Amino acid sequence: MSEASGGRSAQLKHTGLRPGWTTGACATAAATAAYTALLTGDFPDPVTITLPKGQTPAFALAVEELAEDGPGEAPGGPSGRRATAGVVKDAGDDPDVTHGALVRVTVRALPPGSGVVFKAGPGVGTVTRPGLPLDVGEPAINPVPRQMMRDHLAQVAARHRGGEADVELTVSVDHGEEIARSTWNPRLGILGGLSILGTTGIVVPYSCSAWIDSIRRGVDVARAAGRTHVAGCTGSTSEKTVVAEYGLPEDALLDMGDFAGAVLKYIRRHPVERLTICGGFAKLSKLAAGHLDLHSARSQVDKGFLAQLARQGGADEALAAEVAAANTGLAALQLCAAAGVALGDLVAATARDQALEVLRGAPVAVDVICIDRAGNVVGRSTVR
């Protein structure tokens, strides 16, 4: 990484690790190819999609099936046809349990005005508990991948039939139920398989040593550029939030991922005037509880700790018990918000205090911003 470059993209380049594609990106590519085949009879291979940040990767198809619905099956597309395309997920150099998984999407046409209807096929889970960004009973296909598929299918429909995309999409993952046993899905109440995930479409690979080294380089670059205010961000959504809040330039942004401790310990030795930490509410609740590694495999959201904070914010024992029993951190936050308890602010303030403890008196002022999955600020601390 050159002395003049910094920020998220430069950090990734410095690691030397190859990025990959999310299950959401793979499903979008498969859906695009299958719908194109349903309308034209031909599968585009490779199929190119546009990711939320403008990248245009091309995906080779591992499965191409165009068939008539059999006896007893629901009538599908024109003449009862259905189209299925499959893409093998490449997670790059990330140790992702879904690397190599085959993501399939089957498309059937629906009556005009139906829109895009999502269904969970074999290997894709179903939401059974509240607290996730999807309603109970919905396929575990997250909001950003759903929107990516809607957008791409709308483009296919406009190109080949001049109307809207009114289709049923059934997303499946070969051996997904077995793979999901190695994830936190069962504990979250996502049953029957994997979640279709991704906010950028790109899997950012994390090797602990390489990524921590890249954080250090990021701090060095920011200091060399004379930056007095830097931000440690857990991902691209939090990065957008701090840019909107403070107008920070790219070389003041540190992609800390799950490595909050690495940021704090290096800045303790190489101070800047101000550090903002920004990330998802649940992830930063781990920092508030004293965890410096925020990865789900190494630390979990402590709902008992959140209940304790809620009491400090005025929650009665009934609400505190509900928080302690909540399915997810988001569910706990929603319970408190409905009762007028500022749990997000309490988490942010406690996380700030934990960060100051790690800094051990280094001349660095700290503030913390908690966001939800959509990037809305749900908690913030003052600067100390």
Side-chain angles (χ1 to χ4, degrees), residues 263-301:
V263 171
L264 293 166
K265 292 172 185 177
Y266 196 70
I267 286 180
R268 182 175 71 206
R269 300 191 298 273
H270 306 275
V272 292
E273 290 183 16
R274 181 173 174 185
L275 168 66
T276 295
I277 296 174
C278 184
F281 167 81
K283 197 173 284 284
L284 292 188
S285 77
K286 300 179 189 180
L287 176 59
H291 297 286
L292 299 182
D293 185 337
L294 310 182
H295 193 281
S296 61
R298 295 180 286 276
S299 60
Q300 292 300 307
V301 176

Side-chain angles (χ1 to χ4, degrees), residues 47 105 163 179 247 258:
V47 57
V105 178
I179 297 169
D258 295 312

Side-chain angles (χ1 to χ4, degrees), residues 3-20:
E3 288 297 309
S5 64
R8 182 181 181 87
S9 59
Q11 277 185 246
L12 177 57
K13 183 178 180 181
H14 171 71
T15 67
L17 299 173
R18 185 173 62 89

Side-chain angles (χ1 to χ4, degrees), residues 209-349:
S209 59
W211 205 259
I212 289 171
D213 187 45
S214 78
I215 288 170
R216 294 168 178 167
R217 294 293 186 95
V219 173
D220 292 344
V221 166
R223 283 165 49 88
R227 305 302 178 198
T228 59
H229 184 185
V230 301
C233 305
T234 57
S236 60
T237 304
S238 53
E239 189 175 275
K240 290 177 185 176
T241 299
V242 295
V243 169
E245 289 278 328
Y246 300 120
L248 294 178
E250 183 183 24
D251 59 8
L253 304 175
L254 307 172
D255 187 359
M256 72 178 187
D258 295 312
F259 303 114
V263 171
L264 293 166
K265 292 172 185 177
Y266 196 70
I267 286 180
R268 182 175 71 206
R269 300 191 298 273
H270 306 275
V272 292
E273 290 183 16
R274 181 173 174 185
L275 168 66
T276 295
I277 296 174
C278 184
F281 167 81
K283 197 173 284 284
L284 292 188
S285 77
K286 300 179 189 180
L287 176 59
H291 297 286
L292 299 182
D293 185 337
L294 310 182
H295 193 281
S296 61
R298 295 180 286 276
S299 60
Q300 292 300 307
V301 176
D302 185 342
K303 267 85 74 166
F305 171 73
L306 292 179
Q308 179 183 337
L309 287 183
R311 289 188 188 95
Q312 295 174 18
D316 59 23
E317 284 306 312
L319 176 58
E322 286 188 90
V323 169
N327 185 36
T328 63
L330 176 60
L333 180 68
Q334 292 169 339
L335 287 167
C336 287
V341 175
L343 185 59
D345 291 341
L346 291 162
V347 163

